[in-house]
Amino acid sequence: MYANHNFLSLILLIAINLLFAIITYQLILSNSDIKGSGIPQVEGQLAGEIDYKWLPVFIKKFIGGVLSISSGLFLGREGPSIQLGATLAQGIAKITHKIGVDRKIMISGGAAAGLSAAFNAPIASTLFVLEEIYHNFSTLVWTVALSAAVASNFVSTAIFGKTPVLHMQYFHVIPLHIYPYLIGLGIFLGLFGKMYEFFTINISKWYAKIKFLPQWIFSIIPFLLVIPIEMFVPKVSGGGSTLVLMIAKQSPLISILLFYFVLRFIFSTISYGTGTPGGIFLPMLSLGAILGALYAKALINFNLMPSYLFVNFIIVSMSAYFACISKSPFTAILLITEMVGSLQNLMALSFVTLVAYVVSDLMNSKPIYDEMLNNLLSPQKQSNLGGLFTINYSVFVGCKIDGKMVKEITWPKDTILSSIGRNDEKIIPNGSTVIKAGDNLKISTNYNNRGYVHYFMDKLVTNS
């Protein structure tokens, strides 16, 4: 605010942001594993596709995340928190000499603890690890993840208080006669979710095509562009939680909401596309809130809905928008419920979330964090050399191999289906063995081939 009236303060602010941009760029150059959200890196690590030294990543991610987020860039704190938690757990696993499954479970717990600390949402944090990272509900994983998330939430609330991150005042439940409008809201959010996914996934590729500018320029641009935003519309900057609460309280005009959406949509993709350490979790929620507010204002202006339901539409839209982009509907519903601090909207939340999820499915949308991980791995050539590596997969109901014999399935190259776990039995498979939903497949391959095998098998055993 001082920079609005003092030229020297403006020069100082520009100098500070330039310094932050240079430091952040150098950190990324020295270690590419700290780029962006950090969630794709954690997913890749637990899938056996990525590995890194924990201490350099922990230190550099922390510094880079603090500099980026404190500068006001439209980035969230949750992605770095998840990677920091997972990386610290990796370090503890190394110190205590944990390897294999034990190491992975500790990293999973660290990831859940990081998200729980960021949002005070231990149940959703646990579910995020299961639904988004593992895509199944392993007993070992969820017990450790829940324990870590609850412990992290206890420490966080003891220091920062018990007030939910997005606590809003509202006193009504959406009545059933409004639900037809919720169908339209779900379709509306699903369409815009697909657009967000497209721009976020491709922005870094578009940067790479601009050959006449050095790459370091792109890292500096968001740090400079955020200065006028903070000078004139400071509540719009940052991750977006302040903006969401402001919209819920003030109920702005449609024209102002449109301005907020365009500004946050463009600048959040610009911020993330540079690889600057920071998440898209909270920016996604803020965009969903704005879209829900726009839709609600239109209904109110046409006298189709009472104005007292305005806040309810903001809440359900955050869940639906996040779910259709991340493809994690259970996490979305519980996350918003915990962040808002009320169960009143649970039915409407679930309804709109499922509609938006179906719309995104019909448009062939992919989980955004999986797509980001694909982008990270695409330059890396998979090799068939290395030590023996075993991967376990759960067979989902209705997947491509459910009900098929082993000999009828096209398996990934250079792999062996060594055993099938069914109930409490171990089956040594042959060509005529029928794969059934709920089976646990043990696939053996070479260590350096694990990434290729994971993505091949993921398409076989899940419904994605």
Side-chain angles (χ1 to χ4, degrees):
M1 297 296 290
Y2 291 111
N4 288 355
H5 311 288
N6 190 308
F7 182 72
L8 289 177
S9 297
L10 176 60
I11 296 299
L12 180 61
L13 181 59
I14 292 173
I16 292 173
N17 273 27
L18 280 174
L19 178 62
F20 285 0
I22 293 168
I23 294 173
T24 304
Y25 179 70
Q26 290 300 321
L27 290 173
I28 294 172
L29 276 184
S30 65
N31 195 322
S32 61
D33 291 316
I34 70 167
K35 291 178 67 174
S37 166
I39 295 175
Q41 287 90 329
V42 175
E43 286 191 10
Q45 190 176 42
L46 292 174
E49 299 155 355
I50 295 174
D51 208 1
Y52 47 75
K53 295 181 179 179
W54 74 274
L55 188 57
V57 169
F58 182 82
I59 295 172
K60 293 175 183 179
K61 186 73 173 191
F62 180 84
I63 296 172
V66 168
L67 295 181
S68 303
I69 295 168
S70 64
S71 299
L73 300 187
F74 290 12
L75 298 170
R77 62 185 181 272
E78 68 297 320
S81 296
I82 289 172
Q83 189 177 18
L84 288 171
T87 305
L88 186 59
Q90 178 189 342
I92 295 172
K94 183 175 181 180
I95 294 169
T96 55
H97 306 291
K98 301 293 184 183
I99 59 174
V101 175
D102 291 339
R103 178 178 183 266
K104 286 186 177 182
I105 290 173
M106 289 188 71
I107 292 173
S108 302
L115 181 56
S116 180
F119 282 161
N120 287 352
I123 308 300
S125 302
T126 304
L127 198 56
F128 179 78
V129 170
L130 298 170
E131 187 178 24
E132 173 61 36
I133 296 179
Y134 276 101
H135 306 295
N136 62 56
F137 290 77
S138 165
T139 304
L140 281 174
V141 175
W142 79 254
T143 50
V144 173
L146 179 61
S147 301
V150 170
S152 174
N153 185 65
F154 178 83
V155 175
S156 178
T157 52
I159 296 173
F160 300 107
K162 298 179 181 179
T163 304
V165 176
L166 293 175
H167 180 66
M168 303 179 197
Q169 293 291 340
Y170 64 98
F171 307 98
H172 302 275
V173 177
I174 298 177
L176 290 178
H177 72 271
I178 299 294
Y179 273 57
Y181 300 126
L182 294 182
I183 296 175
L185 176 60
I187 296 171
F188 178 66
L189 293 168
L191 294 172
F192 276 92
K194 177 64 176 180
M195 185 173 71
Y196 180 84
E197 177 200 348
F198 175 78
F199 277 90
T200 304
I201 292 299
N202 289 290
I203 185 69
S204 57
K205 299 176 184 176
W206 298 337
Y207 278 139
K209 290 180 180 179
I210 303 175
K211 303 294 186 182
F212 61 89
L213 289 176
Q215 288 299 306
W216 61 267
I217 290 290
F218 299 119
S219 295
I220 290 176
I221 287 174
F223 282 89
L224 294 180
L225 289 179
V226 77
I227 293 175
I229 295 173
E230 290 189 308
M231 289 173 62
F232 300 106
V233 277
K235 290 186 177 180
V236 180
S237 63
S241 56
T242 302
L243 178 64
V244 172
L245 294 174
M246 182 187 75
I247 290 173
K249 185 177 181 180
Q250 298 180 0
S251 183
L253 297 173
I254 287 180
S255 57
I256 296 175
L257 289 171
L258 281 171
F259 168 72
Y260 288 161
F261 178 77
V262 172
L263 181 62
R264 284 203 63 87
F265 186 93
I266 294 174
F267 197 70
S268 64
T269 53
I270 289 174
S271 298
Y272 191 82
T274 61
T276 304
I280 59 170
F281 221 100
L282 196 51
M284 277 194 285
L285 297 183
S286 65
L287 287 172
I290 298 170
L291 289 171
L294 278 166
Y295 189 87
K297 291 293 286 188
L299 292 178
I300 293 168
N301 289 349
F302 285 105
N303 295 318
L304 298 174
M305 184 184 79
S307 59
Y308 61 76
L309 293 177
F310 178 75
V311 175
N312 299 69
F313 271 62
I314 291 175
I315 293 169
V316 301
S317 296
M318 287 190 288
S319 171
Y321 195 67
F322 177 78
C324 71
I325 297 172
S326 68
K327 311 296 285 184
S328 305
F330 290 112
T331 300
I333 293 166
L334 281 178
L335 179 69
I336 299 305
T337 299
E338 288 188 283
M339 290 180 73
V340 172
S342 171
L343 292 169
Q344 279 186 299
N345 281 296
L346 193 56
M347 178 63 183
L349 268 172
S350 305
F351 187 80
V352 181
T353 298
L354 287 174
V355 173
Y357 186 89
V358 169
V359 170
S360 68
D361 252 9
L362 292 174
M363 293 187 294
N364 199 32
S365 294
K366 304 296 182 184
I368 193 166
Y369 292 116
D370 286 357
E371 291 293 295
M372 290 175 175
L373 179 57
N374 277 331
N375 287 345
L376 284 177
L377 297 174
S378 58
Q380 301 178 12
K381 295 182 178 179
Q382 303 298 337
S383 169
N384 292 327
L385 301 175
L388 185 66
F389 191 78
T390 301
I391 317 174
N392 295 299
Y393 295 97
S394 297
V395 179
F396 283 46
V397 176
C399 69
K400 293 179 181 179
I401 64 174
D402 184 10
K404 288 190 175 183
M405 291 189 290
V406 171
K407 64 185 179 183
E408 296 174 332
I409 300 167
T410 302
W411 299 94
K413 294 180 180 179
D414 302 306
T415 60
I416 295 174
L417 175 61
S418 54
S419 70
I420 300 174
R422 183 174 297 164
N423 299 324
D424 293 327
E425 298 180 353
K426 290 290 184 183
I427 300 171
I428 304 301
N430 56 45
S432 300
T433 304
V434 178
I435 304 295
K436 297 181 180 181
D439 284 352
N440 290 304
L441 310 182
K442 183 174 286 188
I443 305 290
S444 297
T445 186
N446 291 300
Y447 181 80
N448 292 332
N449 197 40
R450 65 198 188 283
Y452 158 74
V453 173
H454 173 73
Y455 277 101
F456 196 106
M457 288 299 302
D458 192 54
K459 291 180 174 63
L460 293 182
V461 300
T462 68
N463 295 313
S464 59

